[in-house]
Amino acid sequence: MRILSGVQPSGKLHIGNYFGAIRQFVELQHKGHGLYFIADLHALTTIREAERLRELNHDVALNFLSLGLDPEKATLFRQSDIPEVTELSWILSTVTPMGLLERAHSFKDKTARGISADHGLFAYPVLMAADILVYHSDVVPVGKDQKQHLEITRDIAVKFNQTYCKHFDPATGEGGVLKLPNPHILEDTAVVPGIDGQKMSKSYNNTIELFAPEKEVKKRIMSIKTDSTSLEDPKNPDTCNVFALLKLFARPDELEEIRQLYVKGGVGYGDFKKKLLEFFLATFGEARKRYEELSANEDYVQDVLRKGALKAREIATEVMDQVRRAIGLK
Ligand code: ADP
Ligand code: TRP
């Protein structure tokens, strides 16, 4: 089984990225061949400073390794090191209906807000489809916000196969050159809220970063938005952002205990936030230590990425050979 996913280096990684995506990457690396990449070509749609992109590219690799990705088991690489991806992206764009991309949230949301989109943003899902299809991926672990992109990927793969493969059966996926991938989305952590209650996202300035200094993490947690229920009064856990985040960390029995404290009253939001900070440090303490250690070893990280790219390219070259034959470029 081939498992593939990517994260954009468009900002520092946060707990939404961890619970929505990276935790699955680490777990799944024992269940098949994990291919995980840093989507730096996608990040070009938002990051326009060379030095910052270089820095974030390195930082995301460091984060993956610190969080438990084992380069002996999984393949870690940079998207831009695989030129086959951009080649396939163009080929796929010639069979992708405009309507499919016009309906994509990433494009629709921006234009609806009156922001003029460039072609990179419009074509974003096609590049993502190429990322997935160029490795014949079976499973793609992502957060719920990426669900539509995976549906578009399947639609594009079907379109390609229908156009170029005589014996393709869209019902079973048999007989095509491109393999139809399956999403892997964990419903209980599908959307992690940010400190303002909206979806936590690098682009909303509402994140709790995984590797920020402890003082900064504390500041962010203490500023999570809550209602104005006073300390003595009972509180509703099910509408509370702090509780939603506690849910990610606490065991069921611990969570039940916290729930009782909410309902009973007498404990303030400040105390729940302190509890959250404790959970955060206990969960990520090891990873944060490893991050410090690996930060001093730039060569190691670059070496992992270089070796990863060689492995990923081996697969991509083979799939592209089949694609070129199917369409008549070979
Ligand atoms: P961001 O929105 O912060 O820029 P990305 O779009 O780069 O994050 O997402 C990287 C991965 O993390 C994707 O698989 C995405 O689904 C997941 N992810 C991002 N934010 C969240 C969130 N708030 N809750 C759950 N998963 C998330
Ligand atoms: N679009 C994804 C995100 O913003 C990142 C990504 C790019 C990706 N290519 C991918 C995820 C391929 C999974 C598979 O999170």
Side-chain angles (χ1 to χ4, degrees):
M1 183 173 68
R2 224 170 256 164
I3 304 145
L4 171 121
S5 196
V7 172
Q8 291 190 68
S10 51
K12 299 274 181 167
L13 298 192
H14 52 76
I15 58 177
N17 296 137
Y18 179 73
F19 289 106
I22 299 169
R23 186 173 57 167
Q24 278 81 267
F25 299 1
V26 174
E27 280 163 10
L28 286 168
Q29 70 183 343
H30 306 290
K31 303 218 168 107
H33 180 194
L35 288 146
Y36 300 120
F37 67 93
I38 304 157
D40 50 2
L41 295 175
H42 276 110
L44 289 175
T45 59
T46 48
I47 304 278
R48 262 88 196 242
E49 285 164 78
E51 200 39 50
R52 181 153 167 76
L53 185 59
R54 266 190 283 272
E55 237 178 73
L56 286 170
N57 235 339
H58 184 76
D59 195 61
V60 172
L62 208 63
N63 286 189
F64 275 22
L65 294 170
S66 308
L67 289 165
L69 211 86
D70 177 358
E72 298 294 322
K73 282 212 172 74
T75 304
L76 176 63
F77 60 102
R78 254 191 309 248
Q79 182 186 31
S80 61
D81 280 339
I82 318 295
E84 286 74 15
V85 166
T86 42
E87 183 185 354
L88 182 59
S89 182
W90 169 255
I91 293 168
L92 295 179
S93 78
T94 63
V95 296
T96 304
M98 290 290 281
L100 195 60
L101 301 181
E102 279 159 358
R103 284 193 296 277
H105 300 311
S106 43
F107 172 71
K108 239 173 58 179
D109 292 354
K110 268 212 173 161
T111 41
R113 279 188 280 144
I115 301 168
S116 75
D118 48 41
H119 179 255
L121 185 74
F122 186 67
Y124 185 112
V126 185
L127 180 60
M128 180 152 164
D131 284 328
I132 296 169
L133 300 173
V134 85
Y135 306 107
H136 276 171
S137 313
D138 296 295
V139 177
V140 184
V142 282
K144 202 176 188 168
D145 57 331
Q146 297 299 313
K147 196 169 170 208
Q148 192 197 33
H149 284 147
L150 291 182
E151 287 160 4
I152 295 176
T153 299
R154 281 180 72 99
D155 287 348
I156 293 176
V158 166
K159 198 86 185 155
F160 178 93
N161 288 337
Q162 278 176 330
T163 308
Y164 290 111
C165 313
K166 241 192 256 148
H167 303 293
F168 175 64
D169 176 1
T172 61
E174 305 274 311
V177 165
L178 298 177
K179 198 164 186 173
L180 308 186
N182 291 307
H184 179 277
I185 298 169
L186 294 188
E187 287 303 326
D188 55 340
T189 55
V191 181
V192 175
I195 61 172
D196 58 357
Q198 307 220 34
K199 173 194 126 89
M200 187 177 287
S201 171
K202 290 176 220 120
S203 22
Y204 301 160
N205 189 25
N206 65 354
T207 67
I208 299 170
E209 288 177 12
L210 292 165
F211 295 98
E214 192 172 323
K215 227 171 99 190
E216 180 62 26
V217 173
K218 183 170 177 194
K219 210 165 109 195
R220 299 295 278 185
I221 289 182
M222 291 327 257
S223 60
I224 295 170
K225 210 161 122 193
T226 52
D227 62 27
S228 52
T229 314
S230 67
L231 192 143
E232 318 74 72
D233 288 332
K235 300 171 182 63
N236 183 355
D238 298 315
T239 54
C240 176
N241 294 325
V242 183
F243 190 78
L245 293 171
L246 281 165
K247 253 192 215 166
L248 301 167
F249 293 96
R251 286 195 317 262
D253 56 314
E254 291 171 323
L255 194 69
E256 192 43 42
E257 227 173 88
I258 299 170
R259 180 181 281 280
Q260 292 309 323
L261 293 175
Y262 264 81
V263 177
K264 234 172 49 202
V267 181
Y269 286 121
D271 289 314
F272 292 124
K273 289 176 179 176
K274 278 188 197 137
K275 188 92 202 141
L276 180 60
L277 178 64
E278 276 170 34
F279 274 120
F280 175 96
L281 292 173
T283 305
F284 298 117
E286 277 289 310
R288 287 164 62 85
K289 220 165 71 200
R290 228 168 312 147
Y291 179 77
E292 289 301 318
E293 287 159 15
L294 286 175
S295 296
N297 199 346
E298 193 158 324
D299 290 349
Y300 169 72
V301 178
Q302 291 309 319
D303 196 49
V304 167
L305 290 176
R306 201 174 39 76
K307 287 189 183 136
L310 284 176
K311 259 201 234 160
R313 244 193 126 179
E314 232 174 79
I315 303 171
T317 315
E318 216 173 280
V319 174
M320 275 315 288
D321 189 59
Q322 295 169 30
V323 167
R324 286 192 204 108
R325 283 176 201 283
I327 64 181
L329 287 181
K330 206 165 186 181

